[in-house]
Amino acid sequence: MMTERVAVYPGTFDPITYGHIDIIKRGVRIFDKIIVAVANNMHKSPIFNVEERKNLIKNIISQDNIKNVDVDSFDGLLVDYLKQKNAKIIIRGLRVVTDFDYEFVYSMMNKKLYNEIETVFLMASEKYSFISSTLIKEVTKFGGDISSYSPGIVIEKLKEKYNKEANK
Ligand code: ADP
């Protein structure tokens, strides 16, 4: 019996964008299953808590009817999470050159921690290559239109957050 090829796509996803969704859709064409793993221990202070980030991702996965994707979260070391899930592949997206430095070091370190792991990089699609969660948060905060960067439900929730903040 062939073993199932499970790949973990880790990230902050604060919040999910069309860029992330593109990587997920392309990922399931390569692997049998993708686990989107929302990181819980980031030093970045996220605007959405882990449950909210997971729920947004789940919503989009079912809305777009993307098959073979699980949505989960993890604390601590990514390699420990992979061991727990019996997965040996990490998927990451590469946008601009500046992503490379960080991703290079990160994949080296993961390899040192767990030699059987391979990190697979998918190049960002041209039309999403400049989209980041940080950018869409900033644009929304100042009232800009981000409807071509992230799905409607994400934008709605993001606006709610900033309206709440503004009324504090
Ligand atoms: P992290 O804080 O771990 O970088 P992110 O949520 O910002 O988490 O990103 C998760 C992964 O998705 C990273 O590998 C990142 O490079 C990739 N990614 C983010 N935005 C895009 C995009 N627009 N196109 C392709 N990959 C992307």
Side-chain angles (χ1 to χ4, degrees), residues 8-11 13 35-41 49-51 53-54 57-58 70-76 78 81 84-85:
V8 173
Y9 179 32
F13 304 104
I35 304 173
V36 181
V38 178
N40 200 6
N41 62 345
N49 67 35
V50 172
E51 278 314 304
R53 281 180 272 156
K54 272 171 61 177
I57 301 170
K58 281 182 188 163
D70 280 354
V71 182
D72 195 14
S73 57
F74 71 101
D75 294 289
L78 176 60
Y81 177 73
Q84 189 192 313
K85 291 284 161 184

Side-chain angles (χ1 to χ4, degrees), residues 35-167:
I35 304 173
V36 181
V38 178
N40 200 6
N41 62 345
M42 286 284 170
H43 23 264
K44 304 175 176 177
S45 44
I47 182 154
F48 292 104
N49 67 35
V50 172
E51 278 314 304
E52 292 171 319
R53 281 180 272 156
K54 272 171 61 177
N55 285 335
L56 283 174
I57 301 170
K58 281 182 188 163
N59 258 309
I60 290 157
I61 301 290
S62 75
Q63 192 179 285
D64 284 8
N65 201 17
I66 311 171
K67 300 279 181 241
N68 305 321
V69 180
D70 280 354
V71 182
D72 195 14
S73 57
F74 71 101
D75 294 289
L77 280 181
L78 176 60
V79 292
D80 291 337
Y81 177 73
L82 269 103
K83 284 178 189 165
Q84 189 192 313
K85 291 284 161 184
N86 227 345
K88 294 187 176 159
I89 302 157
I90 299 171
I91 296 187
R92 296 283 289 174
L94 276 183
R95 285 162 296 183
V96 284
V97 195
T98 44
D99 275 348
F100 182 82
D101 284 346
Y102 171 81
E103 295 295 343
F104 187 75
V105 176
Y106 203 74
S107 71
M108 288 288 160
M109 181 49 77
N110 283 327
K111 188 94 185 160
K112 287 242 187 293
L113 293 169
Y114 183 21
N115 189 43
E116 286 170 53
I117 280 190
E118 291 298 342
T119 306
V120 172
F121 296 99
L122 296 184
M123 292 290 170
S125 295
E126 192 184 354
K127 64 176 174 178
Y128 304 126
S129 59
F130 64 95
I131 302 175
S132 69
S133 303
T134 309
L135 189 66
I136 71 163
K137 280 184 279 192
E138 269 172 28
V139 176
T140 309
K141 192 170 181 177
F142 298 113
D145 176 20
I146 55 148
S147 52
S148 49
Y149 307 153
S150 207
I153 38 169
V154 175
I155 299 170
E156 243 169 67
K157 293 281 171 205
L158 205 50
K159 281 185 181 159
E160 267 173 36
K161 285 274 176 194
Y162 285 123
N163 284 340
K164 254 185 223 156
E165 248 179 36
N167 294 329

